[in-house]
C-alpha cells in the first residue's frame, strides 16, 4: 500500500544510525559485525554510524576510535560526562546528517535487519516508522506490568498519547529530526517528544530479543523516575487533580459536620471520638503533603528549565577525516 501523499525517492539514500553507548566495550564488536552483515549488500543505502559516548568509564571510547581507523562510516561524539540516554540521543540527532535517522541500542535488542523493513515503509511515503515490539517476553514481569500501567496512566492524562510497546527504535525522516531539534526544552523525555512532533506515522513489528552482553542500565528506581519525567513533561493534570480532590474532601467534611450538629441537637452532647479525629487529621495531613509534593515537582521542573542550560556538553567530535 502506498501512502496517498506521494512516495520518497526510490534511489540512493543516506542513513544515520544514532547509537548511545554507556560502558558498552563488550557490545561494540558484536553490534558492528551485525551491522556489517545486514548492510553489506544494500548498495542503495549510504550508512553513517553516529556513536555517542555517554561518559563511559571503561574502554568504550578507545575501542570506537580504534574501529574508526579502519571504518570511515564511524563518527563519534564524546560527551563530557554521563548525561543519560535521552541527552545522548539528542546529541546524536544533532550531528547526524542522514536523510533518514534511526536511533538504535548497541546491545542488539533492536535488531538491525528491522531497519530494512522500516526503509521500505519510508519509501512508501511515511516520515516516521515505529519499531513495534510484538511481545515483551524478554522483559521481567515487573517491567512489563509497570510499563503497561505507565502507558495507561500517561495516555489518559497527556495530550498526545504514546504508542505502547514502542521504544526509541524508529525511523525518522530528515524533516522529523529537524522538527525535534527545534524543541527548546532541556529536560528531554524523547519518547514523548517523538510522539508530540507527529508526522505521517506507521510501524513495523519485531520481536525484541534479550540483551546479548552486559547489563541493562535501567533498574526499578531509574524507571520510576523516568515514568515521573514522562508524565510531568507532557501533562499538568496531576496539578489540577488536587482542586477536585480538595473540593470532594471539603464536601464530605461539611456533610459530616452537619451530621454531627444534627445528632448533637437530637441526642445531646456525645463523647468525642478520638479515633475518628485522628484518622481525619492524619488523612488530611497526608493529602496535603502529596499535594505539596506534586507542586514541588512542577516548580522544580520550571526552575531547571528557567536556567536554560544545554542538554549535554561535548568534549570532542571525532570525524573519520581527522
Ligand atoms: N545508555 C546510555 N546512557 C545511559 C544509559 C544507557 O547511553 O545513561 C545506552 C546503552 O549503552 C544502550 C542503550 O542506551 O545502548 C539502552 O540501554 P539499556 O540496554 O541498558 O536499556 P534497556 O534495553 O534495558 O531499556
Ligand atoms: Mg537494552
Amino acid at each position: 500500500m502506498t501512502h496517498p501523499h506521494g512516495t520518497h525517492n526510490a534511489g540512493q539514500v543516506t542513513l544515520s544510525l544514532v547509537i548511545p553507548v554507556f560502558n558498552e566495550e563488550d557490545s561494540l564488536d558484536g553490534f558492528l559485525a551485525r551491522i556489517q552483515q545486514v548492510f553489506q549488500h544494500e548498495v542503495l543505502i549510504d550508512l553513517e554510524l553516529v556513536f555517542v559516548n555517554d561518559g563511559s568509564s571503561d574502554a568504550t571510547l578507545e575501542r570506537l576510535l580504534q574501529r574508526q581507523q579502519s571504518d570511515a562510516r564511524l563518527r563519534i561524539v564524546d560527551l563530557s560526562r554521563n548525561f543519560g540516554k535521552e541527552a545522548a540521543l539528542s546529541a546524536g540527532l544533532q550531528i547526524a546528517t542522514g536523510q533518514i535517522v534511526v536511533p538504535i541500542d548497541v546491545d542488539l535488542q533492536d535488531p538491525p535487519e528491522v531497519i530494512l523493513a522500516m526503509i521500505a515503509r519510508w519509501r512508501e511515503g511515511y516520515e516516521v516508522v515505529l519499531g513495534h515490539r510484538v511481545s515483551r517476553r524478554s522483559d521481567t514481569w515487573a517491567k512489563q506490568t509497570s510499563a503497561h500501567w505507565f502507558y495507561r496512566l500517561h495516555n489518559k492524562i497527556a495530550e498526545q498519547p504514546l504508542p505502547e510497546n514502542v521504544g526509541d527504535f524508529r525511523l525518522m525522516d530528515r524533516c522529523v529530526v529537524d522538527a525535534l531539534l527545534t524543541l527548546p526544552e532541556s529536560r528531554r523525555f524523547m519518547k514523548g517528544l517523538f510522539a508530540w512532533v507527529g508526522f505521517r506515522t506507521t510501524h513495523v513489528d519485531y520481536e525484541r530479543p534479550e540483551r546479548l552482553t552486559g547489563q541493562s542500565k535501567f533498574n526499578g528506581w531509574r524507571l520510576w523516575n523516568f515514568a515521573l519525567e514522562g508524565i510531568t513533561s507532557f501533562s499538568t493534570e496531576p496539578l489540577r487533580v488536587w482542586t477536585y480532590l480538595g473540593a470532594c474532601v471539603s464536601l464530605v467534611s461539611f456533610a459530616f459536620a452537619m451530621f454531627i450538629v444534627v445528632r448533637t441537637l437530637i441526642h445531646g452532647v456525645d463523647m468525642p471520638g478520638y479515633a475518628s479525629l485522628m484518622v481525619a487529621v492524619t488523612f488530611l495531613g497526608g493529602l496535603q503533603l502529596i499535594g505539596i509534593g506534586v507542586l514541588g515537582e512542577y516548580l522544580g521542573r520550571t526552575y531547571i528549565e528557567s536556567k536554560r542550560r544545554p542538554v549535554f556538553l561535548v568534549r570532542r567530535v571525532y570525524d573519520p577525516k581527522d
Side-chain angles (χ1 to χ4, degrees):
M1 187 199 74
T2 307
H3 201 280
H5 298 280
T7 58
H8 287 110
N9 193 350
Q12 202 74 20
V13 61
T14 50
L15 164 67
S16 300
L17 299 186
V18 173
I19 314 131
V21 283
F22 175 47
N23 294 339
E24 300 279 8
E25 54 179 12
D26 296 329
S27 311
L28 287 178
D29 287 345
F31 176 78
L32 286 168
R34 264 291 272 294
I35 292 293
Q36 190 56 25
Q37 192 192 327
V38 171
F39 289 98
Q40 58 186 346
H41 300 303
E42 299 295 328
V43 287
L44 288 180
I45 301 173
D46 290 323
L47 197 57
E48 168 188 71
L49 300 164
V50 180
F51 281 93
V52 184
N53 178 33
D54 188 16
S56 301
S57 54
D58 64 359
T60 301
L61 181 64
E62 288 72 21
R63 298 255 170 109
L64 283 172
L65 289 171
Q66 217 174 358
R67 296 298 297 247
Q68 194 184 43
Q69 302 286 319
S70 57
D71 191 342
R73 297 172 306 176
L74 263 67
R75 299 177 67 210
I76 305 158
V77 189
D78 188 26
L79 300 187
S80 64
R81 62 170 170 85
N82 179 256
F83 281 91
K85 187 183 174 187
E86 309 299 297
L89 275 180
S90 300
L93 291 180
Q94 204 166 78
I95 85 150
T97 59
Q99 265 170 285
I100 49 183
V101 179
V102 178
I104 182 170
D105 288 357
V106 76
D107 58 10
L108 291 175
Q109 285 196 282
D110 305 329
E113 50 284 0
V114 176
I115 297 172
L116 300 180
M118 289 176 173
I119 293 177
R121 303 312 303 272
W122 173 79
R123 290 198 193 277
E124 290 168 11
Y126 290 99
E127 289 146 340
V128 177
V129 187
L130 309 172
H132 177 257
R133 308 167 190 168
V134 283
S135 82
R136 298 182 66 114
R137 250 180 294 150
S138 62
D139 284 334
T140 59
W141 176 85
K143 197 166 177 176
Q144 286 179 40
T145 327
S146 56
H148 177 70
W149 283 103
F150 166 73
Y151 282 109
R152 281 201 58 181
L153 179 66
H154 183 281
N155 291 347
K156 230 188 185 98
I157 63 182
E159 245 173 73
Q160 209 50 42
L162 285 180
E164 207 169 330
N165 292 324
V166 167
D168 296 327
F169 185 41
R170 62 187 61 211
L171 176 148
M172 287 176 284
D173 186 82
R174 174 50 43 196
C175 62
V176 182
V177 176
D178 287 344
L180 277 173
L181 293 177
T182 63
L183 300 182
E185 57 248 78
S186 54
R187 301 287 294 271
R188 298 179 86 81
F189 180 68
M190 290 311 277
K191 271 186 223 247
L193 297 180
F194 286 153
W196 186 85
V197 294
F199 290 96
R200 290 201 290 269
T201 304
T202 186
H203 68 266
V204 295
D205 292 331
Y206 74 101
E207 187 90 33
R208 190 166 170 86
E210 297 204 28
R211 202 177 219 284
L212 274 188
T213 46
Q215 280 190 354
S216 171
K217 271 98 196 157
F218 292 89
N219 57 25
W221 181 241
R222 213 168 159 174
L223 280 173
W224 164 255
N225 283 319
F226 193 50
L228 269 190
E229 184 78 33
I231 286 174
T232 51
S233 287
F234 285 91
S235 170
T236 49
E237 217 52 42
L239 283 173
R240 296 175 51 200
V241 129
W242 296 99
T243 321
Y244 300 109
L245 205 65
C248 286
V249 172
S250 312
L251 219 72
V252 172
S253 312
F254 184 71
F256 188 55
M258 289 328 256
F259 167 74
I260 289 175
V261 167
V262 171
R263 198 178 57 172
T264 312
L265 287 180
I266 297 171
H267 296 290
V269 180
D270 200 11
M271 261 301 277
Y274 179 72
S276 55
L277 205 69
M278 278 313 280
V279 167
V281 167
T282 50
F283 174 68
L284 285 178
L287 267 189
Q288 283 164 356
L289 280 180
I290 298 173
I292 294 173
V294 173
L295 281 180
E297 188 71 34
Y298 281 93
L299 189 64
R301 294 187 65 83
T302 323
Y303 175 62
I304 299 268
E305 290 292 346
S306 71
K307 292 183 201 276
R308 309 247 49 95
R309 280 192 190 138
V311 182
F312 52 83
L313 291 173
V314 175
R315 180 180 292 117
R316 189 168 158 193
V317 178
Y318 299 87
D319 274 324
K321 314 164 251 315
D322 35 72

